[in-house]
Amino acid sequence: MMRFVTIALFSGLLFSSSATAETCEICADGAAMDSPENLVPFIGNDYVRKTCEEYNAELAQVASTSEDCLNAKIDWKVDLASYCGCEGAELDSNLSPNGGCSLCKEGETFVLFPDGISSGYPLMNYPLTCEYINKVAPFLKYITMCEEFQDNYGTDLCCIAPASTTKPPTHAPTSSSTSLQTTLALVVGSIAVSIAISY
């Protein structure tokens, strides 16, 4: 009988311990999320994207100290805490001293196409729009990823460079045109001489 009671008490302690364990979350210390509706990039497959709120609920199934939680956060290519609007979050990016990544390079203008653009690297299997890509770009964590966004989605797609104002170069006359000009000059000169003699 005592053994049964001991086991029951021990089981209760285990349950209590697991119930109070911190869960894996996007926001630190259970902070509120201001943009739970934002679609999380690089998460999900087959054209199905999860919102910050949906992804956070999925993370909450594991403990914050678990390997699954740690691996998931290592794989984040964007600062989700800032992107999802976690209260008090500051941009965690090696681009932050320069204000984060910009989809358009210097001198280019962002163009908001009404229709979607085709999916492709690095956001594979996603129906994409310039608006969505431009929204994600400032929260990218790595310079290399920023450059890939600019090269694949920016220049000549969502970002347009101003029209060139440089005048086309003046081509030197070809040998055939020079030869024709010389012949015409000789003919005109001969006519002028003939007229002079006749007078």
Side-chain angles (χ1 to χ4, degrees), residues 92-138:
D92 177 21
S93 165
N94 59 6
L95 304 172
S96 56
N98 299 319
C101 178
S102 172
L103 178 62
C104 298
K105 298 177 182 177
E106 187 176 353
E108 295 178 337
T109 302
F110 176 69
V111 179
L112 185 60
F113 290 110
D115 300 323
I117 60 176
S118 60
S119 63
Y121 183 84
L123 283 172
M124 304 297 288
N125 299 328
Y126 284 99
L128 303 173
T129 63
C130 289
E131 182 179 21
Y132 177 68
I133 295 170
N134 193 49
K135 183 177 182 178
V136 170

Side-chain angles (χ1 to χ4, degrees), residues 25 41 58 64 71 82 88 95 133 165 180 195 199:
E25 294 179 317
E58 183 178 293
S64 60
N71 288 338
S82 296
L95 304 172
I133 295 170
T165 56
L180 178 61
I195 294 174
Y199 280 99

